[in-house]
Every structure is written in C-alpha cells, then in structure tokens.
Amino acid sequence: EPEVTQTPSHQVTQMGQEVILRCVPISNHLYFYWYRQILGQKVEFLVSFYNNEISEKSEIFDDQFSVERPDGSNFTLKIRSTKLEDSAMYFCASTVTSGGTGELFFGEGSRLTVL
Amino acid sequence: GESVGLHLPTLSVQEGDNSIINCAYSNSASDYFIWYKQESGKGPQFIIDIRSNMDKRQGQRVTVLLNKTVKHLSLQIAATQPGDSAVYFCAENSYSGAGSYQLTFGKGTKLSVIP
C-alpha cells in the first residue's frame, strides 16, 4: 500500500537553529499538507500546497515557516529559527483530490524537540 | 470561533463490546467529516468519512452517524478488539474554496479495550 514517508523521525535542535523536515508524499497525489501536534493536544493545520504554491495557511504558519517542493518527490517544511514552542510532532499528508472529499493520507510524523 | 470537540476524553470498554465515541461540531457550514485513529507514536489513520448529505455510513465494523440538527457525530465500533485501542479524532473539513483540505481536529478520545 502506498504511504507518505517522513524524515527524520526525531530531531533535537537548539533554539534559534534552522530545521528542515522532509516528506515524500504518495506519488500520484497532488495536494500536500503539513500539520503539527503538540504533545497531548489536537492535530493542527499548518499549510496546504498545490501546484507549487501555498493554497492555504493557518495563523501558526508565520514568517519563520516555509515549504518547498524542490523536486518531483520531496516536500519540505523549514523552520528558520526554532523556538521552544515549536517542539511538536509534525505530520505531512497528501491527497489526490482537492478539498471536499477523499482520503487524506498522513505520514508517521517527525518529532521535533527544541532545547 | 468555530471548533470541533469531543464529549469524552477517555473510554474503556470490554473486549467484544461495542464502542461509541462522540463528537460535537459547531461549524454548521462544514459538509464533510472524518474519523481518524491514532496509535501511539504514529500518524492519524483514516477510518471512515461522511458527507453532510448523509446521516449514516458503514464500514467494516465501524459506523459513523451524523446528526446535523444537533451538530453531533459519532463513531461506533462493533465487537471492539484490543487492536482498536488508540486515540480517536473527529475532524471536519473547513473547505474555504481554495481547493484544499483544512481539517479541524477535535481533541481526541482515548479508547482502551480491556481484554
């Protein structure tokens, strides 16, 4: 069964450092997403990406965040200068359809710990 | 603001019994709802979805019920098994028309199955 893969599974970084989280969405999917989940809390939408540009973003997704699809397979989330409160699980997701219906496939997540 | 929430944070059931997990939503404009299962250390896994023009949908051992009058969603799991132990999230699609998913997740209900 096709799956969304994410790397690294866990990253520890110092406050103020840049972090790049990587995702390989399912190959025929067109819409890509990042969500995050702070420990013990609900999953929160960060950003959606389609046709090489951001479709929507939440208020969490400020100027410190950026996304990129550098090639035909990878989808990355960059945090420019990490803060303690960025510590969370970051989930990449993809879907073949546009908003409305269809299954959104999530990866296993990348745990970010900011010290 | 609009939100999706869960009535019960924890639920313990005996193996073989049926489980019912409830969810309240407040965005009357939402037209698509999804239930996700999240096992420890993993990403959300799609279980079943329902559009607002339906009030019931069945899958394998799972049924989702939607009551638009009271803005209530429930997930029924028949013959609950130990492997069903997980956190269950309901989510609604805040489709803004930009062509992508922007799921709003509830807080989650932890289901524990007693062998």
Side-chain angles (χ1 to χ4, degrees):
Chain A
E1 186 177 318
E3 59 181 16
V4 176
T5 57
Q6 291 185 240
T7 55
S9 57
H10 188 194
Q11 181 156 355
V12 181
T13 190
Q14 294 290 324
M15 190 169 57
Q17 295 296 303
E18 177 183 283
V19 160
I20 298 176
L21 304 179
R22 292 182 168 80
C23 170
V24 179
I26 295 173
S27 61
N28 65 330
H29 285 189
L30 302 174
Y31 292 82
F32 314 114
Y33 306 82
W34 283 101
Y35 285 77
R36 79 169 186 191
Q37 185 178 31
I38 295 171
L39 185 63
Q41 298 187 24
K42 59 185 179 181
V43 178
E44 301 173 291
F45 170 80
L46 291 178
V47 66
S48 61
F49 190 88
Y50 170 71
N51 199 27
N52 287 318
E53 61 182 21
I54 291 173
S55 301
E56 294 176 270
K57 59 183 181 179
S58 71
E59 59 188 24
I60 302 169
F61 194 88
D62 61 23
D63 292 344
Q64 292 300 310
F65 291 88
S66 63
V67 289
E68 194 177 34
R69 188 155 162 83
D71 53 43
S73 60
N74 290 285
F75 179 51
T76 62
L77 174 69
K78 181 193 290 186
I79 308 174
R80 234 178 301 279
S81 177
T82 50
K83 303 185 288 287
L84 294 176
E85 53 265 38
D86 294 328
S87 295
M89 281 290 282
Y90 288 82
F91 293 106
C92 176
S94 70
T95 183
V96 67
T97 61
S98 63
T101 57
E103 185 173 343
L104 189 60
F105 289 83
F106 283 84
E108 298 278 277
S110 292
R111 179 173 296 283
L112 176 64
T113 301
V114 182
L115 302 176
Chain B
E2 304 281 16
S3 64
V4 175
L6 290 166
H7 291 306
L8 299 173
T10 60
L11 178 65
S12 295
V13 297
Q14 206 71 37
E15 181 179 357
D17 287 352
N18 296 334
S19 303
I20 300 176
I21 301 171
N22 296 303
C23 176
Y25 66 95
S26 58
N27 187 350
S28 56
S30 294
D31 65 355
Y32 180 58
F33 304 89
I34 313 109
W35 279 101
Y36 283 93
K37 173 185 180 183
Q38 187 178 27
E39 296 175 275
S40 181
K42 295 189 176 182
Q45 180 185 359
F46 175 94
I47 301 173
I48 192 167
D49 58 1
I50 189 167
R51 290 194 63 84
S52 60
N53 62 351
M54 303 171 70
D55 53 20
K56 181 179 180 179
R57 191 161 188 230
Q58 286 185 291
Q60 188 177 17
R61 281 200 310 118
V62 293
T63 301
V64 55
L65 300 176
L66 175 62
N67 186 330
K68 294 181 289 293
T69 303
V70 295
K71 296 178 192 167
H72 185 266
L73 195 67
S74 69
L75 176 70
Q76 300 178 0
I77 305 173
T80 313
Q81 302 168 0
D84 295 328
S85 294
V87 177
Y88 290 81
F89 295 92
C90 63
E92 62 178 321
N93 186 28
S94 306
Y95 181 57
S96 69
S100 66
Y101 276 97
Q102 186 174 337
L103 294 179
T104 301
F105 282 79
K107 290 183 182 178
T109 291
K110 183 176 181 180
L111 176 65
S112 296
V113 181
I114 305 164

